[in-house]
Amino acid sequence: MNNIQFEPLERQLQKPSLLFCDLNELKFQHPTLNHLFIRLYKSHLNCKEFLELVNQQRPSEINLDYFENLAKIFYESQQATYSPYSSVFGGIVAQECLKSITNKFIPIKQWLILDSCEMYETNGHINLENDRYDEIRKCFGGNDTLLKLHQTQLFMVGCGAIGCEMLKNYALLGLGRNAQITITDNDLIEKSNLNRQFLFRSKDIQRSKSIVASEAALKINSHINIKALELKVGPQTENTFCDSFFQNQNLCVNALDNLEARRYMDSRCVTNSRALIESGTLGAKGHVQVILPFLTESYNSQKDPNENEGDVPYCTLKSFPSNIEHCIQWSRDKFESLFKIKPIMVNKFLDKNDDLNCLLEKLADENFHVEDLHKFAKFIRNFCHSYSDCLQLARNKFEKYFANKAKDILNIYPSDHLMNDGSPFWKLPKRQPKPVQFDEENELHLSFVTSLARLLAQIYNIEQNVQDKDSILTIVKSCCVPNWYPVKKHIETDETKKKNDLSKLKDDLDNSKCAKIIENFLEKQNGSKKLLQFIEFEKDNDKNGHIDFIHAMSNLRATMYGLQNADKLHVKKIAGKIVPAIATTTSVIAGLATIELIKVVQNDFKLEKFRNNFLNLAISLFLLSEPGPCPKTKITDQCFVTLWDKWTIKGNESFTLRQFIDSIKNKYKLTVSGIMYGAKSIYLPVMPGHAKRLNEKMLKLVKGVTSITALTNKSENYCDLYLTYEECDDDLNNRDKNNLCPPIRYFFN
């Protein structure tokens, strides 16, 4: 490894090694000029004296007025603390300290200077009020920005790592003091959150993230107003987060950790023409994207890698794993199936079929169909009534998963099996399995049986009355394990097949066999109908046995396929889907996002003022660039659209379909070829009878009523219609441009 040489401060003050981060050509000179100001600044100088001093060393190519304005902003900024930059540089300095201690990653060489001079107000004298907000007044050179921050209505989705940092910044800025910050997060605080979501403490575990975060923010600044919700933002909560809710916000902020929610929030902000600050981190990497109505592209404008692109083929997980991660994912899926999906299915079946004796009579007819009958029968065939039964079933599962499964595969695809082209079937990445012989003295084998039995006892509501190792071993040794017989099982090898595609494979149970299983079940139950408990996976409780089970199961499967075993920490990371997040990156990104948020609040919407941010603290990469402009698409020679456009038609109670179509033609110069309202066809000329609808009222066609008074609430006063147009159906390049046109918002009154 090459050593990086650093020069002493004395030499660097005269000839600095600067990182140039801002790609805006107007700010290329700023790091050099700010370094000059840093070198010449003395706390005893007043502003006039400082300007005279720096002017003596002004580069000749720099305009005097521009230079003096930048120097004045620098001087005023030295008198105050700017909390967003404290967050940014606090995270960067902490990361540099970690680099020094661990000798990992690439340090900054040697100066990183950032400024946001474009945010400074030039109103002359600053009126200080001797309160906690004087620092902000000094930073911005006036009171205007502070007043706008106090009056800002803001909606933030997510109260995790970034959300906590953002909320802290809002509190320090007094954001929403005379308005309201609305935050929402449907998640609860987990133990693993505490290392990076700093508003939470151990006593808050299993409490709502949004409520605890709001309480902590109010302790920082009791002046602000916060409304904490515990709802997931999505189509199912649009009654709460409706159009009027979004339109009541000045801007929105994403502090999310998944693509689906980001896309949804982006679409809602575009629909309601609201600015959005989007941010995210992944380890040492992070980004901030500024989305401004009618000015920039949106989050959905750029195509992200397909979320499913990295998904493992189902056949690989089920029969042909090639690494330990495949084994862990398979084990995690088994946990969900054994302890949640199947118990819920059994309870649902028993709820729907309250009288099993009556069901037995109906099953005499082989053509009689009951939903989930075969799944129910398969489950109760091995129903546990005691802890010894749980140990027996766990021992049988060991044989099924780690011995018989390998035998089934090798029975169909023996060691010398060839593909159709003559190449060997068993070649990397496919690994030939080897049956695992159960050994009660092997800690891993016994761990699987005991952890599985413990979880089975929980779902069956059975007391774990056997806990000492010797007693467990006695029961396990006495277990009668069914012999393996070769059967022609279907082993899927097609990597394009999904799990759902294989769910309709032929079952070996008919109604008579199911009836026999249910009869035996009722006999052992003595007629009682005992519902099962289901288990939610919890990675952070080390005493619940969840990770113990997945750890043992994953490593046994890995052993069967000759793969390297994993420790519990790695298993926990994969099974719990723990995203590698570090507090340093989170702090930097939250600070940068807050800076862009303040620019939005200042309401000076010039594209060159805003910055998208991309960074990687590991390699000291910092890039600030203007947001991508909003693209304009040509539909026809007379019609251009952007993603922010909203097309509207205002009608009345007697407005007909023909009038609606004519209004589209007159206003947008397009000929309607189809109208859809959700999944409902309002007008398709090729459909029989649709031509007769031209003289019908829009109110009746869309809402099914004849009078506006029949509409129950204000939100029903309009609807969004999706139209197709003759001019867009196919252009010269055979492209369908209908999806580029915005929906029509039609107002009934």
Side-chain angles (χ1 to χ4, degrees), residues 385-526:
H385 302 276
S386 67
Y387 192 65
S388 295
D389 289 347
C390 295
L391 286 168
Q392 173 70 64
L393 181 55
R395 174 66 184 87
N396 289 348
K397 291 288 187 185
F398 181 100
E399 205 69 17
K400 175 184 177 181
Y401 294 146
F402 311 120
N404 295 348
K405 175 68 176 179
K407 295 173 185 176
D408 288 338
I409 293 174
L410 293 173
N411 179 50
I412 297 173
Y413 303 111
S415 301
D416 56 356
H417 186 77
L418 300 177
M419 304 282 280
N420 291 335
D421 61 1
S423 61
F425 179 84
W426 294 109
K427 62 180 180 180
L428 292 177
K430 281 192 178 73
R431 291 174 176 267
Q432 184 175 326
K434 181 180 179 182
V436 179
Q437 184 72 34
F438 182 76
D439 179 6
E440 61 266 16
E441 299 300 324
N442 187 303
E443 286 293 330
L444 187 62
H445 295 195
L446 195 61
S447 174
F448 172 81
V449 173
T450 54
S451 60
L452 175 53
R454 176 187 173 187
L455 294 170
L456 288 171
Q458 287 183 38
I459 67 171
Y460 288 111
N461 294 298
I462 294 171
E463 182 183 355
Q464 189 179 344
N465 52 17
V466 182
Q467 296 190 13
D468 64 285
K469 185 176 180 180
D470 291 339
S471 300
I472 291 173
L473 279 173
T474 301
I475 297 173
V476 171
K477 287 178 181 178
S478 66
C479 288
C480 181
V481 180
N483 292 324
W484 175 81
Y485 296 101
V487 291
K488 278 290 181 182
K489 283 193 172 183
H490 177 76
I491 307 292
E492 185 58 61
T493 59
D494 186 353
E495 294 189 355
T496 63
K497 291 282 187 181
K498 305 291 184 184
K499 185 175 183 178
N500 293 338
D501 299 336
L502 307 172
S503 60
K504 298 180 181 179
L505 295 175
K506 188 176 179 181
D507 206 308
D508 61 345
L509 292 178
D510 54 26
N511 281 7
S512 60
K513 290 180 180 178
C514 290
K516 185 66 177 173
I517 293 170
I518 294 173
E519 283 179 11
N520 293 336
F521 171 70
L522 288 173
E523 186 178 330
K524 290 183 179 180
Q525 290 285 96
N526 294 322

Side-chain angles (χ1 to χ4, degrees), residues 28 155 162 248 335 373 396 418 430 465-466 486 503 514 550 574 606 657 674:
F28 278 166
F155 178 42
I162 294 178
N248 193 42
F335 183 101
L373 172 64
N396 289 348
L418 300 177
K430 281 192 178 73
N465 52 17
V466 182
S503 60
C514 290
I550 294 177
I574 302 299
K606 297 174 183 175
L657 175 59

Side-chain angles (χ1 to χ4, degrees), residues 168-235:
K168 175 259 296 181
N169 290 338
Y170 303 159
L172 293 173
L173 292 168
L175 194 143
R177 182 184 181 185
N178 300 325
Q180 181 175 272
I181 301 170
T182 304
I183 60 175
T184 188
D185 195 314
N186 66 325
D187 204 2
L188 301 179
I189 298 166
E190 299 177 359
K191 186 179 178 181
S192 63
N193 300 148
L194 301 182
N195 72 331
R196 63 191 182 281
Q197 299 176 18
F198 80 106
L199 293 183
F200 308 144
R201 299 293 181 266
S202 297
K203 62 182 175 62
D204 300 319
I205 290 173
Q206 289 305 298
R207 289 188 66 200
S208 163
K209 284 187 175 182
S210 57
I211 290 175
V212 175
S214 65
E215 292 171 354
L218 288 169
K219 289 179 182 177
I220 298 172
N221 186 349
S222 59
H223 296 160
I224 62 175
N225 299 304
I226 306 178
K227 182 179 181 180
L229 302 175
E230 300 174 69
L231 299 174
K232 180 180 180 180
V233 174

Side-chain angles (χ1 to χ4, degrees), residues 661-723:
I661 293 172
D662 290 343
S663 296
I664 296 291
K665 183 69 174 179
N666 294 333
K667 190 171 184 179
Y668 300 111
K669 314 302 180 187
L670 293 170
T671 307
V672 175
S673 62
I675 304 173
M676 298 289 293
Y677 176 52
K680 180 181 178 182
S681 299
I682 301 297
Y683 175 65
L684 290 172
V686 295
M687 296 291 289
H690 275 222
K692 296 178 181 178
R693 295 183 175 183
L694 289 170
N695 294 320
E696 291 189 35
K697 295 179 181 179
M698 287 292 289
L699 191 61
K700 183 180 180 181
L701 288 171
V702 177
K703 294 292 186 179
V705 297
T706 56
S707 172
I708 288 177
T709 56
L711 300 178
T712 57
N713 55 58
K714 187 177 179 181
S715 65
E716 288 194 345
N717 192 40
Y718 64 85
C719 65
D720 289 329
L721 302 174
Y722 290 84
L723 278 63

Side-chain angles (χ1 to χ4, degrees), residues 99-370:
K99 292 176 185 178
S100 176
I101 294 167
T102 61
N103 287 322
K104 287 185 177 180
F105 305 138
I106 301 171
I108 293 172
K109 187 182 179 183
Q110 284 193 236
W111 295 84
L112 172 65
I113 301 175
L114 300 175
D115 76 73
S116 301
C117 63
E118 63 275 5
M119 302 169 67
Y120 194 78
E121 302 170 12
T122 53
N123 296 335
H125 185 67
I126 304 172
N127 294 316
L128 301 180
E129 299 182 14
N130 198 29
D131 61 10
R132 67 179 296 162
Y133 303 112
D134 275 350
E135 298 286 299
I136 301 172
R137 295 184 182 96
K138 292 175 185 176
C139 289
F140 293 110
N143 206 41
D144 290 353
T145 298
L146 180 63
L147 291 175
K148 290 175 181 177
L149 286 169
H150 286 175
Q151 295 163 4
T152 295
Q153 290 275 134
L154 181 139
F155 178 42
M156 185 175 76
V157 187
C159 297
I162 294 178
C164 283
E165 286 282 352
M166 294 289 286
L167 206 51
K168 175 259 296 181
N169 290 338
Y170 303 159
L172 293 173
L173 292 168
L175 194 143
R177 182 184 181 185
N178 300 325
Q180 181 175 272
I181 301 170
T182 304
I183 60 175
T184 188
D185 195 314
N186 66 325
D187 204 2
L188 301 179
I189 298 166
E190 299 177 359
K191 186 179 178 181
S192 63
N193 300 148
L194 301 182
N195 72 331
R196 63 191 182 281
Q197 299 176 18
F198 80 106
L199 293 183
F200 308 144
R201 299 293 181 266
S202 297
K203 62 182 175 62
D204 300 319
I205 290 173
Q206 289 305 298
R207 289 188 66 200
S208 163
K209 284 187 175 182
S210 57
I211 290 175
V212 175
S214 65
E215 292 171 354
L218 288 169
K219 289 179 182 177
I220 298 172
N221 186 349
S222 59
H223 296 160
I224 62 175
N225 299 304
I226 306 178
K227 182 179 181 180
L229 302 175
E230 300 174 69
L231 299 174
K232 180 180 180 180
V233 174
Q236 67 274 24
T237 54
E238 285 187 1
N239 287 337
T240 301
F241 304 119
C242 56
D243 286 346
S244 60
F245 171 84
F246 276 93
Q247 289 162 11
N248 193 42
Q249 310 302 318
N250 294 113
L251 78 158
C252 301
V253 177
N254 277 354
L256 294 160
D257 61 359
N258 68 88
L259 190 62
E260 180 185 359
R262 283 185 166 107
R263 285 178 170 167
Y264 177 80
M265 273 296 293
D266 179 74
S267 67
R268 297 293 282 138
C269 288
V270 169
T271 300
N272 291 283
S273 301
R274 286 296 172 265
L276 174 66
I277 305 295
E278 156 61 29
S279 61
T281 68
L282 182 64
K285 300 175 184 176
H287 79 274
V288 176
Q289 182 181 1
V290 185
I291 299 162
L292 303 171
F294 304 100
L295 197 61
T296 71
E297 62 186 7
S298 75
Y299 180 80
N300 287 317
S301 298
Q302 297 295 327
K303 183 173 174 57
D304 283 291
N306 192 336
E307 266 195 316
N308 300 320
E309 201 172 281
D311 284 359
V312 181
Y314 178 66
C315 69
T316 299
L317 285 180
K318 186 172 175 62
S319 304
F320 307 107
S322 58
N323 57 50
I324 185 63
E325 286 73 21
H326 295 163
C327 300
I328 296 170
Q329 183 59 54
W330 176 82
S331 303
R332 177 68 180 85
D333 292 345
K334 284 294 180 188
F335 183 101
E336 197 75 5
S337 173
L338 288 170
F339 309 124
K340 184 177 180 181
I341 296 173
K342 288 181 179 178
I344 290 174
M345 177 273 298
V346 169
N347 290 345
K348 186 178 177 182
F349 186 89
L350 290 173
D351 188 53
K352 285 186 174 181
N353 302 277
D354 189 58
D355 190 344
L356 291 180
N357 288 306
C358 179
L359 177 64
L360 286 174
E361 295 177 9
K362 295 178 181 178
L363 290 178
D365 180 4
E366 282 295 335
N367 294 321
F368 179 73
H369 173 74
V370 182

